[in-house]
Amino acid sequence: MKKTNAKAAAFPIAGIGASAGGLEALEQFFQGVPADSGLAYIVVQHLDPTHKDLLVELLQRAMAMPVLQAAENQLVLPNHVYVIPPNCDLALRHGRLHLQAPAAPRGLRLPIDFFLRTLADECKGSAVAVILSGMGSDGTLGLGAVKEQGGAVFVQEPASAKFDGMPRSAIATGLADLVGPAAKLGAAILACTGQQPRLPAPAMARAGVPDLPLLEQVIELLRRHCGHDFSQYKTSTLQRRIERRMALHQVAQLADYVAYLRANPHEAGLLFKELLIGVTSFFRDPAVWEQVQSEVLPALLAAHPEGAALRAWVPACSTGEEAYTLAMLFLDVLDSVRPSARYTLQIFATDLDSDAIDRARAGVYPANFAACVSEARLQRYFVQDGDSYRVSKAVREMVIFAPQNVVMDPPFTKLDLLTCRNLLIYLEANLQKKLLPLFHFSLREGGYLVLGSAETLGASANLFHALPGKTRIYQRRNVALRTEPVEFPAARYGRARGALQESPLSQPSAPSTVPNIQALTDALLLQTFAPAAVLVTDQGDIVYFSGKTGKYLEPAAGKANLNIFAMAREGLSGALNEVFARVVRERASHTLNDVRVGQDGSSVLLNVTLQYVSEPAALQGMVLVAFHELAGSTPVRYAGVLPQAQAERMAAMAEEVQQARAQLQKAREDMHKGHGGM
């Protein structure tokens, strides 16, 4: 996140973008705005430079607030409307308006994006972006800047707009706080910004400190409805985002919002989206990518003069821009170096937001994104698709997208590069301390970690060496991690965990009334299974082995860790992770077919059955995992990249479109196969 010296404005400022059909939409919008709203409104339109601007006069007839044409160095005041003049770009700096000649030729100008970015830098969380009727996609990129700084986004409902191009493009970002008719947006903005006189500010804001028991109830409701745990996110971030939703619904007390969440499950999904803060762009923070291109990628190639299949992971990838940026840079480096050996880069891009992953997989971006990409790269790596651009096949095939919770799910390993930018700043310090050693473990010796501009290594500084400059790029040091396993806040899928902790099963010294875990498990196996199996808790901790499981599980390096995800061999961990949580949550059973598990350069094919245990009572809440090796299955030897690896990767790409969660399993299998002979 960018740092600026500008202070947030003392009052909210709304930047309003409109184009074709904008006059009618603006008139409707200002009908819902009182003359003493307490906000300033700055209207940015696409205006023909050869025509006299009549917008100021026309708007003034429709409202009591003063309407002025923006002038150089003009001080912005509340309860005023300012309109951009023809044939110029408009910026807001230090509370004043500044005019400048258009930076782009006519037809390529994006004055709304330009202004909204300066609005975000100036006003921070008090910035408001409004997108009304218009053609094209101007304003879409500016919304990301506003949202990143904590501002609010309002969009006219496309059905009510004369021209719906701009509203539809804005809505597609997933950043809109509210979509509605233009006439109703004004009142919603007043409620959101706390300018609504009949409604007191949210209780959380007035008190200055959150009501933790009620906040925990919100987190629990999110966990139930969305399956994700936000308990380790920064309280201040949670508070701001919850206050935003409270204001939109004109709810003053957090207790009332909790009740609203319980009564309206759809609101939990909207709050979930609000908390994800999926803001990104191509080549964001150019200095970072310049150093990746000039130093990091060449160093990785030089470390493998015989050629290599390199691996990278982009957690919190949002809609894919950063992953595709890395892919383009890698191709640029290969083109400039022209090595005699063969190099490939497989990028695993993951995010908590499955909707963002779907958009990333599609690889289609609005035309105004081109402002972030050079003309040469635009021509080489993108194909124009109507009013949008689609990433080329060469770039798309380098990236595998999958939904993943970086806090809860097993990580990718044996990586050469890991870029995790602007995620840690939203997490509590204790969780940051656990993620950074995990990143160290995920990287190969000499691998690189890229963090965001506002993020630091903190207590993990001894694990990485900082590259020169202010780009927050680090190289992995070959130092030993602490001996105890890294722990993460576990998702609470029910009462199974608590029941186990209270059960005599977890107390070896309990009296003779303790159930015989071997007898109970063997009886359960005889009823249902015959193969090798393990009994695990709802968190994956193994409490009993049955049969020979060595082909499928092996002890993890370091201190003993009997968690099935830590012990699973190549190809199995991703498969288990794909369905384990669902089996526990739904108290059901599931069979994974044709799972190829690798060991010591070979692999076997098996089916894996996960069964939630309801009876006997002593084992209730656990999961039985059984391994059925397929008849006639023989170990398959492989070295390096399999001959059919390319075909398998293409099959994985097609599977991404059909089944999002299954892709994480396939991605990890492909990663481990590629590592087999290296």
Side-chain angles (χ1 to χ4, degrees):
M1 187 177 295
K2 293 181 179 179
K3 293 183 179 180
T4 68
N5 295 324
K7 296 181 179 179
F11 51 88
I13 298 177
I16 306 172
S19 182
L23 176 59
E24 179 180 329
L26 286 165
E27 289 176 339
Q28 294 171 353
F29 174 83
F30 282 110
Q31 286 175 4
V33 177
D36 59 349
S37 66
L39 278 75
Y41 304 86
I42 301 174
V43 177
V44 182
Q45 266 198 311
H46 291 276
L47 299 174
D48 190 327
T50 64
H51 290 177
K52 181 181 179 181
D53 179 24
L54 300 177
L55 185 59
V56 172
E57 180 180 347
L58 294 173
L59 287 179
Q60 188 64 84
R61 293 175 182 176
M63 69 180 73
M65 272 190 295
V67 182
L68 307 171
Q69 186 172 84
E72 173 60 27
N73 205 37
Q74 186 172 31
L75 180 66
V76 176
L77 300 173
N79 304 318
H80 284 65
V81 179
Y82 304 88
V83 178
I84 186 174
N87 200 33
C88 72
D89 284 339
L90 182 65
L92 177 66
R93 290 190 294 270
H94 306 300
R96 294 180 179 272
L97 297 174
H98 297 276
L99 308 180
Q100 61 187 64
R106 186 177 176 185
L108 299 177
R109 291 182 53 221
L110 302 170
I112 302 173
D113 278 327
F114 182 84
F115 175 74
L116 290 181
R117 284 173 173 149
T118 68
L119 175 69
D121 286 341
E122 173 79 7
C123 296
K124 304 296 188 292
S126 61
V128 177
V130 182
I131 299 297
L132 302 178
S133 174
M135 294 185 292
S137 57
D138 192 9
T140 300
L141 295 178
L143 299 185
V146 170
K147 199 70 173 182
E148 182 180 14
Q149 296 287 8
V153 172
F154 297 83
V155 181
Q156 182 178 4
E157 187 179 53
S160 69
K162 273 193 171 182
F163 295 88
D164 63 5
M166 282 171 46
R168 287 191 182 280
S169 180
I171 293 169
T173 66
L175 300 177
D177 291 288
L178 184 70
V179 177
K184 295 186 177 180
L185 296 182
I189 291 171
L190 298 186
C192 179
T193 57
Q195 303 297 312
Q196 180 63 266
R198 62 184 177 84
L199 180 71
M204 292 174 70
R206 292 202 312 271
V209 293
D211 186 326
L212 291 180
L214 287 174
L215 189 60
E216 289 172 357
Q217 291 184 44
V218 173
I219 293 171
E220 178 60 30
L221 288 169
L222 282 171
R223 186 184 296 118
R224 291 180 186 176
H225 287 284
C226 305
H228 297 291
D229 188 348
F230 286 91
S231 61
Q232 295 296 312
Y233 277 58
K234 284 185 178 177
T235 301
S236 58
T237 298
L238 290 171
Q239 181 176 342
R240 286 196 307 271
R241 300 295 165 173
I242 292 171
E243 286 174 356
R244 173 74 53 75
R245 299 303 306 174
M246 291 171 63
L248 286 171
H249 294 296
Q250 300 191 37
V251 175
Q253 301 293 329
L254 183 56
D256 295 333
Y257 183 68
V258 171
Y260 183 82
L261 271 175
R262 294 185 189 280
N264 299 274
H266 179 64
E267 173 64 17
L270 296 175
L271 178 58
F272 172 70
K273 294 289 187 184
E274 179 78 23
L275 292 170
L276 294 183
I277 320 174
V279 177
T280 186
S281 63
F282 286 95
F283 297 94
R284 186 184 188 194
D285 298 328
V288 174
W289 296 113
E290 289 171 5
Q291 191 166 7
V292 169
Q293 182 179 11
S294 64
E295 297 181 31
V296 175
L297 292 176
L300 289 175
L301 299 184
H304 302 279
E306 73 288 355
L310 302 175
R311 297 170 183 80
W313 179 23
V314 183
C317 70
S318 188
T319 47
E321 287 91 330
E322 187 159 309
Y324 289 134
T325 295
L326 179 58
M328 287 185 277
L329 288 181
F330 181 76
L331 294 176
D332 282 348
V333 170
L334 288 186
D335 189 54
S336 63
V337 175
R338 296 189 181 278
S340 57
R342 183 175 183 271
Y343 295 90
T344 60
L345 175 64
Q346 181 71 80
I347 302 170
F348 300 91
T350 63
D351 199 273
L352 195 63
D353 186 351
S354 58
D355 290 337
I357 287 294
D358 288 340
R359 294 197 295 273
R361 285 194 182 107
V364 178
Y365 300 92
N368 62 343
F369 93 98
C372 304
V373 179
S374 69
E375 182 63 26
R377 289 192 176 114
L378 189 65
Q379 295 298 323
R380 181 181 180 187
Y381 298 126
F382 293 88
V383 178
Q384 191 159 5
D385 186 359
D387 293 333
S388 304
Y389 283 86
R390 183 185 302 274
V391 293
S392 68
K393 183 179 179 182
V395 172
R396 178 63 186 88
E397 289 181 351
M398 292 176 63
V399 188
I400 289 180
F401 291 100
Q404 186 206 38
N405 186 333
V406 68
V407 175
M408 302 301 307
D409 296 333
F412 292 94
T413 57
K414 300 167 185 174
L415 303 168
D416 300 279
L417 179 61
L418 196 163
T419 68
C420 182
R421 304 201 301 147
N422 303 314
L423 169 65
L424 299 181
I425 56 175
Y426 299 114
L427 306 179
E428 292 286 5
N430 62 337
L431 184 54
Q432 294 183 31
K433 291 178 182 178
K434 295 174 181 178
L435 277 178
L436 286 165
L438 182 77
F439 291 164
H440 179 273
F441 172 78
S442 297
L443 288 164
R444 301 179 192 265
E445 182 178 350
Y448 293 88
L449 171 68
V450 184
L451 298 181
S453 59
E455 297 167 331
T456 62
L457 294 174
S460 299
N462 65 309
L463 301 180
F464 298 91
H465 166 72
L467 268 62
K470 300 180 180 180
T471 51
R472 306 296 169 95
I473 301 177
Y474 306 91
Q475 188 171 27
R476 182 189 189 274
R477 293 178 186 267
N478 189 25
V479 297
L481 289 171
R482 58 185 186 180
T483 56
E484 66 270 22
V486 176
E487 297 179 356
F488 295 93
R492 302 166 190 173
Y493 295 111
R495 59 188 178 86
R497 182 70 167 179
L500 176 64
Q501 292 172 343
E502 297 172 3
S503 167
L505 295 176
S506 61
Q507 302 172 13
S509 60
S512 58
T513 57
V514 175
N516 186 317
I517 202 168
Q518 177 177 353
L520 291 172
T521 304
D522 287 344
L524 190 63
L525 286 167
L526 289 173
Q527 292 175 16
T528 315
F529 303 106
V534 291
L535 183 69
V536 303
T537 70
D538 66 328
Q539 305 303 316
D541 297 326
I542 300 173
V543 297
Y544 184 73
F545 293 86
S546 177
K548 297 181 179 180
T549 61
K551 286 185 180 181
Y552 325 117
L553 306 173
E554 64 177 341
K559 188 177 179 179
N561 183 358
L562 294 181
N563 187 279
I564 193 169
F565 297 108
M567 297 185 65
R569 287 187 179 272
E570 297 176 1
L572 179 59
S573 178
L576 291 173
N577 178 67
E578 176 60 34
V579 299
F580 187 88
R582 187 166 75 246
V583 167
V584 174
R585 186 170 60 250
E586 297 176 359
R587 302 187 178 189
S589 63
H590 186 90
T591 298
L592 294 161
N593 296 311
D594 301 325
V595 177
R596 187 167 293 280
V597 178
Q599 55 170 324
D600 301 325
S602 66
S603 65
V604 294
L605 200 64
L606 64 150
N607 294 340
V608 182
T609 299
L610 295 85
Q611 176 181 309
Y612 181 86
V613 180
S614 299
E615 295 180 349
L619 302 183
Q620 186 177 13
M622 297 190 190
V623 177
L624 192 65
V625 182
F627 308 100
H628 311 258
E629 193 164 324
L630 298 183
S633 173
T634 57
V636 177
R637 301 294 302 182
Y638 57 88
V641 180
L642 294 175
Q644 69 272 28
Q646 183 64 26
E648 291 178 355
R649 253 184 61 201
M650 292 302 296
M653 299 301 179
E655 187 179 13
E656 283 181 330
V657 178
Q658 302 298 326
Q659 191 176 5
R661 289 192 59 81
Q663 188 53 55
L664 182 56
Q665 172 188 343
K666 181 63 178 176
R668 289 177 177 173
E669 289 179 1
D670 286 350
M671 178 183 69
H672 290 306
K673 288 177 183 178
H675 178 69
M678 293 184 61

